[in-house]
């Protein structure tokens, strides 16, 4: 976790922009699918930080339930030992490696979580929202979810039914459970969705939820008594809380619910819950109903991302490509990794990863279009002006077109990334601008202008190189949330810090103001931003 005091910009009582990822099951190590959502959340929060907003980014791990318990048993350790090991050895280090700047990391086995969860469910119980009953039905341990018969696939025998997500047999569970009166919330939920059309995104996800809630909702079984790896119900300790009801509350327990009212008022309701489309109903139906029952405000948005696919199936622990996130980062680098998935797959739709596609985008977009532009401009300022950025002598139409291009890129990227979570669209706009700057240099041919040593020739050359460097200044700021290390290298190479301060201090509001990079800045060639790729490692 790369959280630092500098990132935790909360502290006064105005609402913060609060983004969450799902909390991940720690039965195994993180894979590309998990990293996909976590990087997206990181880019979103960094974008909002760059707007100068107070931001809070939460991720964490989901550690209770049968799936984790069975995995620990199979490995001959206690569930707690298993979770501790995986969190410390696999999950936190990956987020650090990917430069995820989360402000907190919640684990559902922490006391700060379990104690608040018990208070929350006790409150619902006291309000009559929870009652005791019996339930029997097919259960998928992979999803930790009771299934409806209509959702199942046929298995190998007549009696066997398979979970449609995991393609593994479901189990028949029959227990005395406590139930949450979810069925009472159908009309209130529909009313809420109608009054808040942006609550569930994208539209396909919203439609799916509407169709589901329009049918009669069933009460939700919220406890288990056949195993004990979970949060005990405070009024009946023979039962542990259903893992999903426990897990969903991480979004409030981490934000200070029941422990720090001031912080909670500042953070809650969350601005965006990022979720995979498979866990949409939990977040868009069950979670809001629980919050309504508790009398708490509902999150502002639930945004579902699609799946990374492999061989036409959701990438999962059982059908991995065999490629871990670190296999890709050691070949392409962390920043290119952060860029690639968001650029290549429209957020909200499924997408396939391919080594060839990643290589093609790396080479054409990152290395050729962007990296070469940065190194060529730095090299020319070095060669023709001794590394001191000249002032623009005459800002003509061609230069104004670049200034306008920057402003358009800023406005489009701000709307698409910051508001719509259309990362691919936002990045396309930024790279459109990079292309425009390349086109400008091709047209202006500074290497030919440099041969003209007259005062006019020098002035023209100064204008062209200032324009290109100033365009790069804007690009560094726009790409900072997506590729922070690369943007920092570019900032250094432009010598921008001297006149403009740290890259982290730049804002979306001013990035489009033309002429911010002061003439006289010390431009240096710096490191190659996207080095030529090594041979693909043998698989
Ligand atoms: N623990 C629950 C979430 C509780 S949130 C209160 C859970 N964990 S999970 O580890 O199984 O999955 C977490 C997230 O990873 C889900 O949003 C899921 O959609 C996402 N992904 C898992 N495989 C994925 C892909 N192949 N592609 C994209 N996201 C995927 O569910």
């Amino acid at each position: 976790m790369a959280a630092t005091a500098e990132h935790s910009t909360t502290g006064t009582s105005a609402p913060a922009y609060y983004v969450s990822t799902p909390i991940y099951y720690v039965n195994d190590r993180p894979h590309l699918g998990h990293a996909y959502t976590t990087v997206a959340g990181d880019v979103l929060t960094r974008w909002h930080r760059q707007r100068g907003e107070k931001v809070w980014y939460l991720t964490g791990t989901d550690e209770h339930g049968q799936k984790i318990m069975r995995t620990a048993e199979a490995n001959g350790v206690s569930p707690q030992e298993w979770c501790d090991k995986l969190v410390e050895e696999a999950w936190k280090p990956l987020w650090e490696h990917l430069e995820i700047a989360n402000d907190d990391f919640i684990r559902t086995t922490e006391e700060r979580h379990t104690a608040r969860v018990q208070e929350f469910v006790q409150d619902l119980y006291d309000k009559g929202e929870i009652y005791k009953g019996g339930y029997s039905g097919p259960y998928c341990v992979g999803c930790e979810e009771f299934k409806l018969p209509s959702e199942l696939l046929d298995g190998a025998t007549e009696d066997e039914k398979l979970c449609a997500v995991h393609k593994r047999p479901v189990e028949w569970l029959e227990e005395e459970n406590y139930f949450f009166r979810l069925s009472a919330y159908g009309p209130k939920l529909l009313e809420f969705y109608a009054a808040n059309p942006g609550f569930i995104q994208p539209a396909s996800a919203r439609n799916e939820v509407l169709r589901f809630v329009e049918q009669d909702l069933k009460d939700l079984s919220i406890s288990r008594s056949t195993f004990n790896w979970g949060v005990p119900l405070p009024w009946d300790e023979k039962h542990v809380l259903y893992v999903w009801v426990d897990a969903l509350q991480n979004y409030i327990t981490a934000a200070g619910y029941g422990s720090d009212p001031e912080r909670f008022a500042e953070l809650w309701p969350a601005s965006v819950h990022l979720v995979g489309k498979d866990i949409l109903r939990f977040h868009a139906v069950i979670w809001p109903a629980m919050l309504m029952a508790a009398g708490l405000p509902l999150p502002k948005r639930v945004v579902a991302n699609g799946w990374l696919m492999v061989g036409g199936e959701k990438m999962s622990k059982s059908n991995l490509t065999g490629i871990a996130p670190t296999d890709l980062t050691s070949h392409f680098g962390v920043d290119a990794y952060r860029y690639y998935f968001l650029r290549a797959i429209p957020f909200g739709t499924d997408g396939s990863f391919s080594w060839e596609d990643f290589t093609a985008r790396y080479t054409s977009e990152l290395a050729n279009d962007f990296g070469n532009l940065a190194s060529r401009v730095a090299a020319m300022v070095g060669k023709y002006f001794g590394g001191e950025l000249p002032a623009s002598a005459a800002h003509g139409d061609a230069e104004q077109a670049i200034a306008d291009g920057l402003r358009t890129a800023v406005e489009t990227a701000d709307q698409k990334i910051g508001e719509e979570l259309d990362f691919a669209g936002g990045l396309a706009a930024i790279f459109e601008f990079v292309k425009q700057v390349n086109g400008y240099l091709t047209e202006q041919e500074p290497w030919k202008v440099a041969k003209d040593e007259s005062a006019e020739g020098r002035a023209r050359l100064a204008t062209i190189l200032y324009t290109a460097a100033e365009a790069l200044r804007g690009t560094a700021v726009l790409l900072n949330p997506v590729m922070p290390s690369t943007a920092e290298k570019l900032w250094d190479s432009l010598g921008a810090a001297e006149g403009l301060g740290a890259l982290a201090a730049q804002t979306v509001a001013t990035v489009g103001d033309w002429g911010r990079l002061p003439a006289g800045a010390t431009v240096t060639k710096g490191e190659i931003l996207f080095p030529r790729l090594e041979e693909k490692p043998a698989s």
Side-chain angles (χ1 to χ4, degrees), residues 66 70 133-141 145-147 170-179 221 223-227 239:
Q66 247 161 319
R70 287 183 187 174
Y135 193 82
S136 62
Y139 190 82
C140 170
V141 177
E145 186 180 14
F146 274 112
K147 297 284 173 178
V170 290
E171 299 175 18
W172 193 262
L173 284 198
E174 198 157 355
E175 287 186 59
E176 190 179 62
N177 294 145
Y178 286 91
F179 284 81
S221 159
S223 74
R224 301 284 180 268
S225 56
T226 49
F227 64 92
H239 289 251

Side-chain angles (χ1 to χ4, degrees), residues 21-25 27 31-34 36-37 62 67 91 142 244 247-251 274-279 283 305-309 314-317:
T21 71
I23 50 171
Y24 302 100
Y25 288 129
N27 55 318
H31 61 62
L32 297 177
H34 305 125
Y36 178 55
T37 314
D62 191 354
K67 176 152 66 175
W91 289 83
W244 266 102
L248 286 163
Q249 290 179 62
N250 88 87
Y251 303 126
L274 289 176
V275 301
K277 63 178 186 178
D278 48 326
I279 58 171
H283 287 82
N305 61 254
W307 287 338
L308 296 190
M309 308 290 279
K314 174 185 175 220
M315 187 184 289
S316 70
K317 281 136 205 164

